[in-house]
Amino acid sequence: MPFKLHTYKSFKLLNPSSTSQVSGLGEFQKSLELNYFSDVILKNKGDLYPKIDLVLELNCSLNLIDVLGHSNKGLWGTNDNAISTMAKSFETLLAQNQDLDIDLQEVSLFLNDTNIVVKRIYENSIPEQFNHIITEIAKQYIHITKGLTEQPEEIFVPVFEDTIPEVNSTSIGKVEKTPTSLTYKEYWGIYLESQVDGLIFDVQKNKFIPAHLDYCILDDNN
């Protein structure tokens, strides 16, 4: 069954038309909607002001293959200068709110046939790497669809190496690594219609490995 998205107890909806908490939030939302062809919902997971941990939901009425094609042509997720809209717009948002601690905690892209969930792994990692992750999914499309035979219902990025039994069984004494941009290109959790449990996809080896996502502890504290 598909991965169940997080239900945060402390969610507080932010009014995009209000500047009482975050300046420029409406412009940030509109920029994402225009360039990602999506309806955007913004939520705040931050526990205490001035900490603002934004959770974004991008609802895009396209199929995954269409998004990958448009992204490859520079027609989805970029502005006129071929710069990632999320990175550029987020940079502007930070500049307008230098007294606040703002970051993107999670971005969920809901498509017609697939959901893509990206988690933060270090400061500003999502706006910095989101478009690169979409590009990597395009590169791995044949592999994650098992030769175009199965459409993933959900892609969860990333799954951490130290939670995967198959990897740990051959990594005794391994030193824990600090997450970097490369972490997004190591392991993904993928749900396929034919599988009851989520599977782990080894991005570097272009293959699924014998471990189930439901057995892994997904870090939700970054």
Side-chain angles (χ1 to χ4, degrees):
M1 68 187 232
F3 176 72
K4 294 182 180 179
L5 296 177
H6 305 288
T7 53
Y8 295 124
K9 295 180 181 179
S10 60
F11 265 173
K12 177 172 56 178
L13 292 177
L14 296 176
N15 182 357
S17 63
S18 172
T19 58
S20 60
Q21 287 185 297
V22 183
S23 298
L25 194 61
E27 290 75 9
F28 177 66
Q29 179 188 30
K30 291 176 182 176
S31 176
L32 296 180
E33 289 181 333
L34 176 64
N35 290 281
Y36 289 97
F37 308 165
S38 301
D39 290 326
V40 175
I41 297 175
L42 304 176
K43 299 178 181 179
N44 177 25
K45 183 182 177 280
D47 295 327
L48 296 172
Y49 189 85
K51 183 175 179 59
I52 306 292
D53 278 333
L54 290 176
V55 175
L56 303 187
E57 295 180 4
L58 307 177
N59 295 280
C60 180
S61 57
L62 293 173
N63 293 331
L64 176 59
I65 191 66
D66 297 321
V67 164
L68 299 180
H70 290 320
S71 178
N72 183 58
K73 295 176 182 177
L75 302 176
W76 186 91
T78 59
N79 60 25
D80 293 338
N81 296 318
I83 300 173
S84 164
T85 293
M86 190 173 294
K88 186 65 175 178
S89 299
F90 187 70
E91 180 182 324
T92 300
L93 185 68
L94 293 182
Q96 293 176 307
N97 297 275
Q98 297 184 27
D99 57 332
L100 300 179
D101 180 11
I102 303 177
D103 205 349
L104 300 186
Q105 174 80 8
E106 179 179 295
V107 171
S108 296
L109 175 61
F110 298 112
L111 303 173
N112 288 338
D113 56 356
T114 305
N115 297 335
I116 300 172
V117 181
V118 180
K119 293 283 293 182
R120 180 181 69 187
I121 58 176
Y122 57 84
E123 185 177 0
N124 299 341
S125 65
I126 294 181
E128 174 188 300
Q129 295 296 324
F130 184 75
N131 278 35
H132 297 304
I133 292 170
I134 297 299
T135 298
E136 187 63 33
I137 290 175
K139 293 178 181 178
Q140 300 293 339
Y141 186 74
I142 292 179
H143 302 291
I144 64 177
T145 58
K146 294 191 172 182
L148 307 180
T149 63
E150 292 193 65
Q151 180 69 31
E153 293 184 337
E154 185 140 63
I155 304 171
F156 192 96
V157 183
V159 172
F160 290 97
E161 182 178 340
D162 58 3
T163 67
I164 304 175
E166 170 71 11
V167 175
N168 287 335
S169 64
T170 59
S171 304
I172 299 176
K174 179 186 63 179
V175 177
E176 183 176 349
K177 298 187 301 183
T178 300
T180 69
S181 61
L182 296 178
T183 305
Y184 283 127
K185 298 181 180 181
E186 292 180 346
Y187 299 99
W188 300 342
I190 295 183
Y191 282 90
L192 299 171
E193 185 176 358
S194 64
Q195 301 290 326
V196 175
D197 298 316
L199 302 178
I200 304 299
F201 182 73
D202 187 326
V203 181
Q204 295 302 306
K205 295 182 179 179
N206 315 118
K207 67 177 185 179
F208 291 93
I209 62 177
H212 293 298
L213 180 60
D214 290 350
Y215 299 152
C216 300
I217 301 173
L218 300 177
D219 187 354
D220 192 31
N221 298 315
N222 286 303

